[in-house]
Amino acid sequence: MSEQSRSPYRRQRRGPGPARGGGGGAGAAAERGAPRDPARRVAYDVLRAVDQRDAYANLLLPSLLNERGISGRDAALATELTYGTLRLQGTYDAVMETCVDRTLASVDAEVLPLLRLGAHQLLSTKIPPHAAVSATVDLARRVVGQHRARFANAILRKVSARDLDAWIGVVAPDRAVDPSGYLSVVHSHPRWIVKELARALGERSRTGLVETERLLAAHNERPKVTLVAKPGRATVEDLVAAGAEPTPYSPFGARLPEGDPAAIREVRQGRAAVQDEASQLVALALTRVEVPGGDGLWLDMCAGPGGKAGLLASLAGRGDARLVASEVQPARAGLVAGAVRRAPRDAGRAVAADGTRPAWRPGTFDRVLVDVPCTGLGALRRRPEARWRRTEGSAAELAPLQRDLLRNAVESVRPGGVVAYVTCSPHLDETDAVVRGVLAERGDLTLLRAADLLDEVPGLAAGEEGRYVQFWPHRHGTDAMFLALLRRG
């Protein structure tokens, strides 16, 4: 199946329940009750599901924590172990390659997540080495059996012989000779992603990739949860009163320093939602473009799961506009319906429709947002596993769909109307190449200076003559969201 099926806009698979081990005996009997070490066990189950079944940690981990009644310090530990291991998986794998007397790829699929989990505790936490090894080996006995637990014990003891800095000196290429390879190991990204991010930033290896390294480091920092107060239904002040802090740029945004967003009343009631600040701002930019000749009907063409649609419906409802939020997958269209429900003046409607075969007549809409399926390289802070799922050819596989969706978005807008082309990826083959390709096909499109619509945010302008918007985690504290605005003549 193509990479389209793995886009962040498809219906996510939650993966199975706990993995079954082959321990037998007393270990198997213990598995029938509550796990002795619930934090490590849930982290292992998520890591294995991510690795073997393409589960998404941000969906599966909260589900398992809730299902197993894990909270407080155990939940915090499980979260750190899961995301920390996923973020630095490439670094840990490079270390363990030197500790295993065969290829790491040949290690049993049930055992490899245990080794990574143990390596994270040994190299990146304050857990004492003996405790990290002992707890991980004990978990191994319970889930994979005594024989393979002895193997895990031997490998983790080798890992514990050096700290992370010492291991980097052993396993990373020489920075002066191979800067991309060095950054790939140190910051745990596939080499091809390092190169593509450097290309998007306009850096070359001979410069030392200074800004690229800052971006890679930002991907491995734990992001704060960002909320959006839906206009007309909640305010930033409401969220601040609940313990959040205003975002620096979005007039609708607030960040939670810690805690569960579901504990906030406005979120539970659907008057606020979790949404990255850049996602809020690209939607806002579309609404700021002057559209002569009427402004009554908007379209969100790839609306699932509904974050931008929820904000757009609220903004439409504050004026005289209506929003149609289209999503190809019926289940995700249901999520979109929930996101736009109770917008001011009931301004939002969700429909299940395919943007590549529009169910509406050409020229119907005044404004169109098309947030296309993409590699998701802009959201690696929140979905660290995505870096290991994509391949160097992923962007090329997605490009035909992205061009088709942009073409149909242009056909859907009336003359004088505007289209916002959005990706949660800075990969140039998904951004500049797609936009330039569609511009070259038509003579009735004008590429607007998108950064002028968001002049409160510094350092956004990208592309030829700075006509695109490109957010960056290390510059703006957001996902790496891309925006191009095109007016149809």
Side-chain angles (χ1 to χ4, degrees):
M1 189 173 289
S2 75
E3 287 294 329
Q4 295 175 18
S5 66
R6 291 187 174 185
S7 87
Y9 303 93
R10 72 179 175 95
R11 183 179 181 183
Q12 310 293 359
R13 287 186 287 169
R14 289 184 176 266
R20 287 186 169 82
E31 284 299 287
R32 289 193 289 269
R36 179 184 301 170
D37 189 344
R40 287 181 176 81
R41 178 57 196 264
V42 78
Y44 169 77
D45 288 340
V46 173
L47 293 173
R48 185 176 174 193
V50 165
D51 190 44
Q52 297 298 307
R53 301 169 184 87
D54 284 353
Y56 282 86
N58 67 321
L59 298 177
L60 182 56
L61 178 60
S63 174
L64 289 184
L65 292 174
N66 181 65
E67 175 186 313
R68 300 179 188 183
I70 299 172
S71 60
R73 294 179 63 181
D74 280 337
L77 177 59
T79 300
E80 162 57 29
L81 295 180
T82 299
Y83 284 103
T85 302
L86 288 171
R87 290 185 182 111
L88 291 181
Q89 175 179 312
T91 307
Y92 301 147
D93 284 3
V95 169
M96 290 187 295
E97 284 280 6
T98 71
C99 299
V100 178
D101 58 3
R102 46 195 166 105
T103 65
L104 203 61
S106 68
V107 174
D108 291 348
E110 297 86 353
V111 176
L112 192 53
L114 287 163
L115 297 180
R116 290 167 174 161
L117 184 61
H120 177 64
Q121 295 170 74
L122 287 167
L123 301 178
S124 298
T125 75
K126 295 181 180 180
I127 298 171
H130 69 277
V133 173
S134 175
T136 306
V137 171
D138 183 62
L139 175 62
R141 292 192 190 99
R142 292 167 168 266
V143 297
V144 299
Q146 181 64 36
H147 176 70
R148 289 185 287 182
R150 286 197 293 269
F151 171 76
N153 181 58
I155 301 306
L156 292 178
R157 290 191 180 280
K158 291 181 182 179
V159 173
S160 69
R162 296 181 174 92
D163 64 16
L164 183 58
D165 288 340
W167 273 119
I168 292 297
V170 172
V171 302
D174 187 312
R175 181 169 192 158
V177 175
D178 183 6
S180 294
Y182 174 84
L183 294 180
S184 173
V185 172
V186 171
H187 295 288
S188 185
H189 287 66
R191 180 190 290 263
W192 72 268
I193 291 183
V194 175
K195 291 183 175 180
E196 288 300 339
L197 294 176
R199 184 165 73 106
L201 284 164
E203 287 196 313
R204 298 181 181 275
S205 293
R206 65 174 179 267
T207 69
L209 304 182
V210 175
E211 189 173 12
T212 303
E213 182 166 19
R214 295 210 309 270
L215 172 59
L216 299 175
H219 283 167
N220 290 330
E221 295 172 359
R222 183 178 178 180
K224 293 180 180 179
V225 175
T226 304
L227 305 174
V228 59
K230 296 181 181 180
R233 302 198 62 207
T235 65
V236 171
E237 289 72 23
D238 294 331
L239 302 180
V240 169
E245 303 165 348
T247 51
Y249 309 120
S250 171
F252 316 115
R255 288 179 181 158
L256 273 182
E258 58 185 14
D260 181 3
I264 295 177
R265 179 184 58 188
E266 288 77 10
V267 174
R268 292 196 307 272
Q269 294 174 346
R271 298 188 292 122
V274 175
Q275 186 180 20
D276 183 72
E277 188 178 14
S279 179
Q280 298 174 36
L281 289 167
V282 295
L284 179 61
L286 173 62
T287 70
R288 287 177 170 178
V289 181
E290 290 188 13
V291 178
D295 189 18
L297 195 56
W298 304 354
L299 172 67
D300 185 345
M301 195 168 176
C302 301
K308 296 178 185 67
L311 177 56
L312 285 172
S314 292
L315 291 172
R318 294 205 305 181
D320 295 323
R322 296 288 186 272
L323 173 76
V324 175
S326 171
E327 167 57 39
V328 65
Q329 296 184 14
R332 286 167 64 83
L335 296 177
V336 176
V340 303
R341 186 177 296 124
R342 296 181 182 174
R345 298 176 57 249
D346 198 23
R349 285 290 182 272
V351 298
D354 186 350
T356 65
R357 294 189 293 273
W360 45 84
R361 289 176 295 186
T364 295
F365 299 96
D366 303 295
R367 301 179 193 266
V368 177
L369 173 75
V370 56
D371 184 357
V372 297
C374 67
T375 56
L377 298 185
L380 295 183
R381 300 177 309 153
R382 293 184 292 107
R383 290 178 177 163
E385 66 270 26
R387 69 187 79 176
W388 313 117
R389 289 184 176 159
R390 299 302 181 186
T391 68
E392 195 165 2
S394 295
E397 292 178 14
L398 282 163
L401 172 63
Q402 293 164 344
R403 286 193 296 269
D404 197 16
L405 286 167
L406 180 53
R407 291 186 190 108
N408 281 291
V410 170
E411 284 296 319
S412 298
V413 77
R414 65 168 175 81
V418 64
V419 172
Y421 175 79
V422 174
T423 71
C424 190
S425 169
H427 196 305
L428 293 178
D429 291 354
E430 302 185 88
T431 58
D432 177 65
V434 172
V435 174
R436 283 191 295 106
V438 173
L439 283 170
E441 296 170 359
R442 307 181 61 117
D444 62 344
L445 296 177
T446 300
L447 183 63
L448 306 180
R449 288 186 57 85
D452 291 349
L453 280 303
L454 295 171
D455 58 4
E456 67 266 44
V457 187
L460 280 183
E464 187 176 353
E465 298 181 358
R467 291 190 176 272
Y468 304 138
V469 155
Q470 180 64 67
F471 286 90
W472 294 106
H474 64 296
R475 290 183 188 173
H476 308 108
T478 68
D479 289 348
M481 196 77 67
F482 170 88
L483 167 69
L485 293 170
L486 301 93
R487 189 188 300 279
R488 184 177 179 184

